[in-house]
């Protein structure tokens, strides 16, 4: 009769068979048979206009209604709660944690504190509750269970249902995070469990929210806890605990939970939907699994959301409508737009997404996954987590992009994402990114420009790809002379002609000038000392000419001068960039009969002189590749007063290197001025 008494006090009515009176509403909570209340509670509603029979009860008059009110429909239990695992064996993926906890219970080696770390929805709290059930199960000593809870005894039922249990306490650290809450927890843990064969288990969710002071208050009890008391801390951010309370980590056993893969999520969803007698398409389940992002709880919650849209089988269209996902056909259409370089159509495409109410952040993530899948197909791999239809479409488009372009697109999308999440102009950022993708063919690669000039290593004789292979612009004929274009002032040369000159220079460098590293590796020894010197009017011999390796005496000075650029490149390839810069400001001055090479600086510079003195042995080794007769290197500084030395910085070395490259090649000099180029090591 407690409920009836409470209602009578709230409504101001007497106990008995009369209705709860009111001017416009009367509620009857059942009749009284003798001194017992009717167990069935029936609600009635009557207004002034409704026909009713009036009865008198004491001094109050109530209205007996003619029709009872229907009860509201019962609330359904969420799938994430209805199908939550109740044993260690049912927990998906986390077998390394479940097996350890189960073995600890079976062998009687239960620790006093555990730290469960991992992403959301992977089973941390579930395993903590299963552990509490197993420790307090009435059949814990049954060898047939092997450490598993029975799930049928009264203790397991109370713990699992979340009912009041004296021995299992679940605490939310997000709202109980202060030092006072920690002290209260410490005092409660001092009380013994309700039975001699039971354990007191404290489950603390979101443990990273506890303050430093709260952790300090728990340190002592975590180190020396009372008998049969177990603490289980669950957190998604263990690094915060390591920063604020590092001593805690040495007092607990830590378990790191894995993200649940899409195949495991699909398998669990199939099992759940089979229990619910709901048919589902494989592609629809795959879409839910991708949207769950490794969380089983999220996957079940999304499935609930899809089921709430209506009856019938779960199909991809229904999933897209319920979750607001973007169809894979839209991503394929966008890839075609970028491959065909239709930059002007980007704005209409994004506007259509905005009109459809698509979340741009979700769209950016989906497009990045599709580009990654296309990269996998282009490289001959298997695209991850895409439908069969999308896989076939990507196979047909794998020739539309080079792998380098796809990597650039992924890099741009990755760099944009942190700003994108916080920006108030997401549509503008998305449009700018897609326009950049559509204009990738207009970029110019400088790798081939610097090949053979000592500025970049050559990976081969083939021309590197500068954009999508299907739409690359035709280069000028190889017979065009880059020197003729370079004779014109940079301001008078059109940009297209300059780029053509750069490409012509690149092809000429590929055919005639090998890279410094290849020349040093493949060129034999220099010619003998007695070889005839080339006349000034004769054309210079190529650097990679075959020379005799029988040189035993001192080399000729002119031969060393001709090889000096290769010596500089060799020092730079060996990582001696400062010494290489100093060698660019020096020339071989003399060679004596003993094989001593004198190197003279062109201007007084103590820093360059010191750098050359430090690498004399490496310099001699480099010279001996072509001139075995070289025995020693002598550095000679020019006479005269020297200015106070300045500190040599990387920027100075970089500037000197660019200046040397500009002096060597007029085409590159014009390109640097026209295109505002910079040197990339």
């Amino acid at each position: 009769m407690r409920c009836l008494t409470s209602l009578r006090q709230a409504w101001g009515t007497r106990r008995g068979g009369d209705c709860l009176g009111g001017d416009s509403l009367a509620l009857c909570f059942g009749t009284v048979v003798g001194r017992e209340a009717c167990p069935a509670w029936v609600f009635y509603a009557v207004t002034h206009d409704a026909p009713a029979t009036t009865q008198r009860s004491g001094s109050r008059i109530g209205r007996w209604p003619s029709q009872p009110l229907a009860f509201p429909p019962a609330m359904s239990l969420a799938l994430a709660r209805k199908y939550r695992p109740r044993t260690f064996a049912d927990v998906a993926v986390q077998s390394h944690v479940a097996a350890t906890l189960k073995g600890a219970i079976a062998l009687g080696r239960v620790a006093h504190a555990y730290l469960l770390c991992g992403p959301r929805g992977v089973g941390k709290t579930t395993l903590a509750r299963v552990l509490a059930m197993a420790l307090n199960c009435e059949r814990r000593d049954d060898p047939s269970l092997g450490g598993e809870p029975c799930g049928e005894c009264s203790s397991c039922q109370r713990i699992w249902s979340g009912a009041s249990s004296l021995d299992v306490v679940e605490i939310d650290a997000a709202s109980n995070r202060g030092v006072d809450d920690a002290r209260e927890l410490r005092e409660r843990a001092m009380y013994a469990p309700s039975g001699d064969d039971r354990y007191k288990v404290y489950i603390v969710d979101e443990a990273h929210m506890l303050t430093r002071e709260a952790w300090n208050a728990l340190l002592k009890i975590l180190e020396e806890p009372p008998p049969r008391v177990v603490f289980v801390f669950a957190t998604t951010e263990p690094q915060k605990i390591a920063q604020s309370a590092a001593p805690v980590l040495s007092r607990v056993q830590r378990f790191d939970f894995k993200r649940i893969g899409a195949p495991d999520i699909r398998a669990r969803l199939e099992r759940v939907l089979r229990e619910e007698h709901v048919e589902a398409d494989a592609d629809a389940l795959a879409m839910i699994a991708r949207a769950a992002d490794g969380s089983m709880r999220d996957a079940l919650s999304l499935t609930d959301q899809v089921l709430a849209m209506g009856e019938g089988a779960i199909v991809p269209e229904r999933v897209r409508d319920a979750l607001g996902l973007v169809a894979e056909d839209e991503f394929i259409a966008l890839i075609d737009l970028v491959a065909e370089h239709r930059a002007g159509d980007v704005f209409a495409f994004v506007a259509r997404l905005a009109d459809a109410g698509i979340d741009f952040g979700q769209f950016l993530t989906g497009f990045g996954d599709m580009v990654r899948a296309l990269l996998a197909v282009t490289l001959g791999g298997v695209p991850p987590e895409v439908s069969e239809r999308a896989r076939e479409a990507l196979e047909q488009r794998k020739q539309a992009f080079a792998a380098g372009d796809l990597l650039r697109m992924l890099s741009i999308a990755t760099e944009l994402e942190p700003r994108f999440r916080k920006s108030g102009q997401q549509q503008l950022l998305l449009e700018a990114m897609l326009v950049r993708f559509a204009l990738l063919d207009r970029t110019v690669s400088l790798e081939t420009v610097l090949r053979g000039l000592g500025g970049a290593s050559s990976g081969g004789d083939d021309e590197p790809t500068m954009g999508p292979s299907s739409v690359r612009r035709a280069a000028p004929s190889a017979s065009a002379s880059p020197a003729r274009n370079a004779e014109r002032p940079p301001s008078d040369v059109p940009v297209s002609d300059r780029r053509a000159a750069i490409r012509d220079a690149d092809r000429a460098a590929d055919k005639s000038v090998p890279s410094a590293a290849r020349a040093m590796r493949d060129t034999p020894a220099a010619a003998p000392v007695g070889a005839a010197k080339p006349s000034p009017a004769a054309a210079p011999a190529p650097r990679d000419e075959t020379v005799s390796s029988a040189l035993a005496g001192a080399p000729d000075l002119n031969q060393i001068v001709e090889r000096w650029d290769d010596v500089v490149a060799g020092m730079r390839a060996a990582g001696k960039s400062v010494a290489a810069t100093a060698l660019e400001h020096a020339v071989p001055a003399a060679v004596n009969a003993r094989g001593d090479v004198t190197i003279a600086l062109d201007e007084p510079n103590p820093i360059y002189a010191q750098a050359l003195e430090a690498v004399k042995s490496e310099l001699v080794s480099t010279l001996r590749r072509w001139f075995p007769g070289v025995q020693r290197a002598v550095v000679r500084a020019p006479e005269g007063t020297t200015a106070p030395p300045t500190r040599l910085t990387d920027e100075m070395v970089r500037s000197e290197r660019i200046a040397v490259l500009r002096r060597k090649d007029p085409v590159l000099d014009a390109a640097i001025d026209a295109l505002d180029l910079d040197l990339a090591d």
Side-chain angles (χ1 to χ4, degrees):
M1 304 302 294
R2 181 182 304 173
C3 295
L4 183 60
T5 303
S6 302
L7 290 171
R8 186 182 67 251
Q9 293 173 352
W11 288 75
T13 60
R14 295 184 179 181
R15 180 177 176 181
D18 57 328
C19 299
L20 300 178
D23 292 335
S24 60
L25 179 66
L27 297 176
C28 179
F29 292 90
T31 58
V32 176
V33 181
R35 304 177 66 89
E36 298 293 334
C38 179
W41 294 82
V42 183
F43 290 80
Y44 295 89
V46 174
T47 61
H48 283 297
D49 300 333
T53 303
T54 304
Q55 293 188 359
R56 181 179 298 273
S57 176
S59 60
R60 304 183 66 87
I61 296 178
R63 289 174 176 254
W64 290 102
S66 57
Q67 296 293 334
L69 286 178
F71 282 101
M75 183 180 297
S76 63
L77 194 62
L79 294 179
R81 295 179 57 193
K82 185 176 181 180
Y83 293 97
R84 172 179 268 181
R86 300 194 178 192
T87 61
F88 291 115
D90 290 342
V91 179
V93 178
Q94 318 301 340
S95 57
H96 62 294
V97 182
T100 304
L101 297 179
K102 179 180 175 181
I105 295 172
L107 299 176
R109 302 185 62 86
V110 180
H112 63 275
Y114 295 96
L115 178 62
L116 309 182
C117 314
R120 70 182 190 277
V122 296
K124 299 185 297 295
T125 306
T126 297
L127 270 179
R129 192 174 292 183
V130 172
L131 174 65
M133 292 170 57
L135 288 175
N136 294 290
C137 181
E138 297 175 1
R139 298 173 54 193
R140 188 178 71 238
D141 297 331
D142 189 349
S144 62
L145 294 176
E148 293 275 12
C150 69
E152 299 175 355
C153 63
S154 59
S155 175
C156 291
Q157 293 290 343
R158 284 199 306 271
I159 295 173
W160 186 253
S161 62
S164 58
S165 177
L166 297 177
D167 298 320
V168 179
V169 180
E170 294 192 23
I171 302 173
D172 178 22
S175 56
N176 300 276
R177 59 192 304 264
V179 63
D180 294 334
D181 300 307
R183 288 171 180 165
E184 182 182 355
L185 174 61
R186 184 180 60 188
E187 293 173 359
R188 292 174 60 181
M190 293 299 177
Y191 292 96
S194 60
D196 295 337
D197 59 343
R198 301 179 70 85
Y199 283 80
K200 211 163 192 179
V201 182
Y202 290 93
I203 302 174
V204 183
D205 274 328
E206 304 298 333
H208 61 274
M209 299 294 291
L210 291 175
T211 62
R212 184 189 301 270
E213 293 76 13
W215 281 117
N216 291 336
L218 294 175
L219 283 179
K220 188 62 177 177
I221 196 171
L222 288 179
E223 185 175 4
E224 298 178 359
R228 293 179 287 123
V229 173
V230 177
F231 293 93
V232 183
F233 299 97
T235 178
T236 56
E237 302 182 35
Q239 70 277 3
K240 290 187 176 181
I241 299 178
Q243 294 170 1
S244 61
V248 172
L249 301 180
S250 62
R251 292 169 166 83
V252 299
Q253 289 188 12
R254 173 172 173 171
F255 293 96
D256 291 299
F257 285 60
K258 305 174 185 177
R259 292 179 74 255
I260 303 177
D264 296 304
I265 293 179
R266 288 202 305 269
R268 177 58 66 89
L269 292 180
E270 290 174 358
R271 176 182 171 186
V272 168
L273 293 176
R274 189 164 51 249
E275 294 289 334
E276 294 288 324
H277 305 289
V278 176
E279 296 181 359
D281 187 82
D283 289 340
L285 295 183
M287 294 170 62
I288 297 176
R290 288 196 298 269
D293 194 23
S295 172
M296 185 66 73
R297 183 176 62 233
D298 287 4
L300 292 172
S301 299
L302 294 175
T303 305
D304 260 332
Q305 187 173 341
V306 174
L307 291 175
M309 284 199 66
E311 299 180 352
I314 298 179
V315 294
E317 292 76 11
R318 184 175 172 186
V319 174
R320 279 195 292 268
D321 293 341
L323 306 184
L325 302 179
V326 182
E328 291 179 336
D329 294 340
E330 296 289 345
F331 296 129
I332 298 298
L334 182 57
I335 288 176
D336 291 338
L337 186 149
V338 173
E340 297 168 4
H341 309 291
R342 293 186 282 117
D345 296 340
V346 165
F347 303 98
F349 183 89
V350 177
R352 183 161 53 85
L353 294 179
D355 294 340
I358 299 298
D359 179 65
F360 289 128
Q362 196 174 36
F363 176 81
L364 179 61
T365 302
F367 182 65
D369 293 339
M370 191 62 65
V371 174
R372 182 183 63 165
L374 180 57
L375 177 61
V377 172
T378 303
L379 296 177
V382 178
E385 294 302 324
V386 295
S387 64
E388 188 64 29
R389 180 181 176 186
R391 184 178 294 109
E392 294 176 356
L394 295 178
E395 287 285 349
Q396 298 172 1
R397 292 161 175 81
K398 65 180 181 180
Q399 301 297 334
F401 294 91
D405 292 331
L406 295 175
L407 283 174
R408 245 187 303 176
M409 292 166 63
L410 288 175
S411 177
I412 293 173
T414 303
E415 293 173 359
L416 177 66
E417 189 171 4
R419 282 194 304 133
F420 192 86
R421 302 292 180 184
K422 302 177 182 178
S423 175
Q425 296 287 340
Q426 291 187 348
Q427 182 173 349
L428 180 62
L429 291 177
L430 182 61
E431 290 172 347
M433 183 194 72
L434 295 179
V435 168
R436 290 180 63 185
F437 290 171
L439 298 178
L440 280 179
D441 65 317
R442 303 189 183 183
T443 58
V444 179
S445 174
L446 297 180
E447 296 177 0
T448 55
V449 176
L450 299 179
R451 183 184 299 166
L453 300 178
S457 61
S458 175
D461 293 335
D462 297 333
E463 182 183 2
T465 302
M466 294 185 294
S469 58
S470 60
V471 293
R472 293 181 55 193
R473 293 171 292 175
S477 62
S479 60
S481 173
R484 184 166 61 252
N485 293 334
E487 293 175 356
R488 298 161 57 186
S491 58
D492 299 333
V493 181
V495 175
S496 59
D497 292 345
R498 291 171 191 155
R499 293 181 178 174
I502 292 173
R503 287 194 291 269
D504 291 343
D506 170 57
R507 291 183 174 87
D510 282 348
K511 296 178 181 178
S512 62
V513 184
S515 65
R518 190 188 310 154
M520 294 171 57
R521 182 178 67 250
D522 300 334
T523 306
V529 179
K533 301 179 183 178
S535 61
R543 290 186 178 181
D544 56 350
E545 61 182 350
T546 304
V547 293
S548 173
S549 61
L551 181 61
D556 184 74
L557 180 61
N558 291 334
Q559 294 175 342
I560 297 179
V561 172
E562 291 177 359
R563 286 285 180 184
W564 195 245
D565 289 342
D566 294 336
V567 173
V568 174
M571 295 298 294
R572 195 179 304 280
K576 309 292 184 181
S577 59
V578 177
T581 304
L583 290 175
E584 291 175 347
H585 292 269
V587 293
V591 179
N592 59 20
R594 295 189 303 271
D596 298 339
V597 179
T598 302
I599 301 172
L601 291 169
D602 55 6
E603 61 181 9
N605 193 319
I607 295 179
Y608 287 163
Q610 183 178 0
L612 294 179
E613 290 287 347
V615 296
K616 279 184 177 181
S617 59
E618 292 86 347
L619 181 57
V620 171
S621 299
T622 303
L623 287 171
R624 283 180 179 174
R625 296 181 182 179
W626 301 280
F627 313 107
V630 173
Q631 301 297 327
R632 191 164 64 98
V634 180
V635 179
R636 186 180 71 188
E639 298 179 357
T641 59
T642 60
T646 58
R647 181 178 180 85
L648 189 63
T649 62
D650 293 338
E651 186 62 31
M652 294 172 59
V653 174
R654 188 185 187 89
S655 300
E656 291 289 344
R657 188 174 175 189
I658 294 177
V660 171
L661 293 175
R662 292 171 70 117
R663 288 196 298 270
K664 286 183 178 180
D665 194 334
V667 176
L668 180 61
D669 185 23
I672 292 176
D673 292 334
L675 303 178
D676 193 18
L677 305 180
D678 197 2
L679 181 63
D681 291 330

